[in-house]
Amino acid sequence: MPRNQDPNQQANRPADVAAPDSVGGMARRLLNPAHLRDLARRSAATLREQGAQQLWRDVTFRVGLAFHHDSWRHRADIPLRRQLKAQRAAPLEGGPLVSVVVPVYNTPLTFFRQMVQSVRRQTYPRWQLVLVDASDAAHTAPGALAQKLARTETRILYRKVENRGIAGNTTAGFTLAEGDCIALLDHDDLLYPNALYECVQRMLATGADLVYSDEIVLSADLKRLGGYHFKPDFAPDYLRGNNYITHLALFTRKLLDAAGAREDPEFEGAQDHDLLLRLTEKAEKVEHIPKVLYVWRGHAGSTAAGMEAKPYAIAAGERAIDAHLARVGLPGRAMAVPGAPGAFQVRYELTGRPLISVLIPNKDHTDDLERCLASLYKNAGYDNFEVLVLENNSTRPETEQYYAALPGRYPRCRVLRYQGAFNFSAVNNFGARQAGGEHLLLLNNDIEVLSPDFLRELLSYSQRPDVGAVGAKLYYPDDTIQHAGVIMGINGSAGHSHKSYPRQAVGDLYRLVTTQDYMAVTGACLMTKAALYRAAGGLDEENFAVAYNDVDYCLKLWQQGLHNVFTPRAEAYHYESKSRGLDTNPENEARYQREKANFYAKYKPYIDNYDPYYNPHFNNLFENFGLK
């Protein structure tokens, strides 16, 4: 899966180099007395807590910033010598034997040497390197080197085999492997020296049977950055849309046997995706280590250089996901995303024909409401729904005239009147009590539905027993992203994923074009089961009358073990003003600050610590997946 930096976005660079200064301007800032004092304080702390090597890296990086050149930044999470020394001194007694399985095929000798050396330098001592060589007669050098190493190093096992493709050769490696745990390593890639130690340590600490890490893509000579893969914690819907786990993955032999101790030749080109889907189906606990532990080398012919190099892999990916859906009992089919090789969307079949109740709060603004209703009825793609317009304190005479005509113009549409001051939570709870549907759709009146099958798409997720809330892909009128899921911790509360990215962007690691698991989605367009809504007490009218009520509701579902999902196949404009400033009304501002304080007090652990569906390498000031 390639990094696929979006062409409409600048490369992920620190905010402080987004607008380069002149060398003179940079020098003046560096020589500012306050800056120098702060630099001295931070340098002393780094030297004391992390040692001279980290201090040198920081200095090198800062000098690089002055001249707009990344130095250490492009080699994320490289361990310090002192850390490696400490790991070698504490070798995790009782840890499992880890078999690193490498299918070898016509590997350039330099790449092969570097790969083997990266395993031999591991700080975790209980490893076995299993080399399964299917190279042709013109590429014997790696095999000759491997045989020589195997004669002197008992931890290296070499076998020459008939070429049965990556899947078949990897399966041969599984058969030869003697370890209690298995890790896969491509023949042209590398492990960080602490990779196996970090994985085994996490496995022992948590009881996980599958652990995976972040990774980095470098050029063939390992000198130029190809991209970062900073991943979320385990997200099953995301894995159905993209093999985001890829490398490094370490799993137990017991789990591999339960999943079928093989890579299936039927899915050649997507064999790792198929394997990870099968492993996660059987896993009792999946853990993510948010550290780069794997170097994916990008070169001509490598999947890291782009899935375009292996078009057959896309068809294999569709088949692998379809097979997974059949195994877990989710009727549906996978579809490759055009222009995003390696990304897939799933169209789930409807398993019933339940009534959907659409709840639309409204005060005047009949032009907005008309646009919303007209687009909804045109693009619903599903006919068993009712619409409840929740009237709240309208003052214009023409609004009543508009309401009177609604039932004749829009079937199954009625107006309910909520008496009282505006309270978004109370208005929706009032509507939910009058609703007859098995599913509720909270919908703002300034939404214009764009995609056909809009209600059908949302329902196809809401019907799943493991799903709590479903959100849509919302755009500002200027065709930039308004909502693609909610990220916790942004600016001390929460923010919208990829906000202000161009509409055509694929996002970080295809997250804008594949279904995502998030902690929450926006209440501007949120579908949920009516039974869940009522069991949760609806939206919190007291603590979150206007702000954060949607996120609070989603988090209550998430804490029950339900998935809150964002689907990019349900698209709409949200005419919320992109340039709107803060509400300067003193009463409203005071209410907002109270509700923000309530939200922080209730969800402090999720705000202060990183969102499991984000990544701690990303900043928490903006929703742009930019680096810290």
Side-chain angles (χ1 to χ4, degrees), residues 452-472:
D453 291 349
F454 186 79
L455 286 186
R456 186 208 177 280
E457 174 68 9
L458 296 173
L459 178 60
S460 72
Y461 285 93
S462 189
Q463 70 180 358
R464 281 174 30 190
D466 63 329
V467 168
V470 190

Side-chain angles (χ1 to χ4, degrees), residues 11 19 27 64 94 125 157 166 172 188 197 203 234 260 309 418 444 501 534:
L157 179 63
I166 298 175
D188 49 2
Y197 190 100
M203 190 172 276
F234 181 52
Y418 175 82
N444 280 16
Y501 268 54
R534 289 167 183 141

Side-chain angles (χ1 to χ4, degrees), residues 398-417:
E398 57 267 29
T399 301
E400 290 301 324
Q401 298 172 7
Y402 178 83
Y403 286 161
L406 275 182
R409 299 178 58 234
Y410 294 110
R412 307 173 304 281
C413 179
R414 53 198 172 105
V415 177
L416 303 177
R417 299 176 185 277

Side-chain angles (χ1 to χ4, degrees), residues 336-410:
V337 178
F344 305 89
Q345 294 173 350
V346 175
R347 180 176 171 87
Y348 291 100
E349 296 178 10
L350 296 184
T351 56
R353 195 172 173 275
L355 178 67
I356 300 170
S357 294
V358 183
L359 310 181
I360 307 178
N362 188 69
K363 177 185 177 182
D364 294 315
H365 290 280
T366 55
D367 52 346
D368 287 334
L369 180 58
E370 173 62 23
R371 181 177 57 215
C372 177
L373 291 173
S375 64
L376 175 65
Y377 277 80
K378 176 183 177 182
N379 294 311
Y382 183 80
D383 61 3
N384 193 24
F385 68 94
E386 63 174 359
V387 174
L388 308 183
V389 176
L390 309 177
E391 154 59 26
N392 182 214
N393 300 324
S394 292
T395 58
R396 298 175 181 172
E398 57 267 29
T399 301
E400 290 301 324
Q401 298 172 7
Y402 178 83
Y403 286 161
L406 275 182
R409 299 178 58 234
Y410 294 110

Side-chain angles (χ1 to χ4, degrees), residues 95-388:
L97 174 65
V98 177
S99 292
V100 181
V101 175
V102 183
V104 179
Y105 180 74
N106 295 352
T107 315
L109 184 58
T110 300
F111 294 179
F112 184 81
R113 285 182 185 275
Q114 292 171 337
M115 178 274 294
V116 171
Q117 191 70 349
S118 77
V119 177
R120 298 179 77 193
R121 288 176 174 170
Q122 290 299 300
T123 58
Y124 182 71
R126 298 203 68 215
W127 56 261
Q128 176 189 57
L129 178 58
V130 181
L131 300 169
V132 181
D133 184 10
S135 300
D136 59 33
H139 298 82
T140 59
L145 175 60
Q147 291 180 69
K148 179 181 177 180
L149 292 171
R151 286 194 293 268
T152 58
E153 172 63 85
T154 59
R155 293 182 294 181
I156 297 178
L157 179 63
Y158 172 81
R159 289 289 186 276
K160 187 75 174 74
V161 298
E162 179 184 351
N163 185 20
R164 300 183 183 278
I166 298 175
N169 298 343
T170 302
T171 300
F174 290 159
T175 302
L176 293 168
E178 300 166 344
D180 307 297
C181 292
I182 307 292
L184 297 180
L185 175 61
D186 286 353
H187 64 164
D188 49 2
D189 293 344
L190 298 91
L191 299 179
Y192 274 25
N194 58 328
L196 298 184
Y197 190 100
E198 297 276 358
C199 289
V200 171
Q201 184 180 54
R202 178 64 66 89
M203 190 172 276
L204 293 175
T206 63
D209 44 8
L210 191 157
V211 174
Y212 66 94
S213 75
D214 293 345
E215 61 195 316
I216 191 171
V217 178
L218 295 179
S219 60
D221 60 5
L222 306 178
K223 294 181 179 179
R224 295 182 302 280
L225 173 66
Y228 302 107
H229 294 178
F230 292 143
K231 309 166 188 177
D233 287 358
F234 181 52
D237 284 285
Y238 188 19
L239 186 59
R240 289 175 191 131
N242 184 6
N243 181 15
Y244 78 91
I245 292 179
T246 323
H247 315 115
L248 170 70
L250 182 73
F251 42 90
T252 65
R253 165 65 75 170
K254 180 181 178 181
L255 177 61
L256 177 64
D257 290 343
R262 72 189 191 287
E263 283 204 337
D264 197 328
E266 179 186 351
F267 306 115
E268 188 75 33
Q271 69 284 334
D272 289 349
H273 198 176
D274 168 65
L275 177 63
L276 283 164
L277 287 167
R278 288 188 282 115
L279 291 171
T280 54
E281 289 165 24
K282 300 292 185 180
E284 294 183 7
K285 188 174 180 62
V286 179
E287 281 283 310
H288 166 225
I289 300 173
K291 291 183 181 179
V292 170
L293 299 178
Y294 191 100
V295 176
W296 197 352
R297 192 195 304 260
H299 60 90
S302 167
T303 307
M307 285 284 283
E308 297 91 336
K310 299 180 179 180
Y312 65 90
I314 297 174
E318 289 181 330
R319 296 196 305 272
I321 297 165
D322 287 349
H324 159 75
L325 294 173
R327 287 192 301 270
V328 299
L330 288 175
R333 63 183 180 89
M335 303 172 293
V337 178
F344 305 89
Q345 294 173 350
V346 175
R347 180 176 171 87
Y348 291 100
E349 296 178 10
L350 296 184
T351 56
R353 195 172 173 275
L355 178 67
I356 300 170
S357 294
V358 183
L359 310 181
I360 307 178
N362 188 69
K363 177 185 177 182
D364 294 315
H365 290 280
T366 55
D367 52 346
D368 287 334
L369 180 58
E370 173 62 23
R371 181 177 57 215
C372 177
L373 291 173
S375 64
L376 175 65
Y377 277 80
K378 176 183 177 182
N379 294 311
Y382 183 80
D383 61 3
N384 193 24
F385 68 94
E386 63 174 359
V387 174
L388 308 183

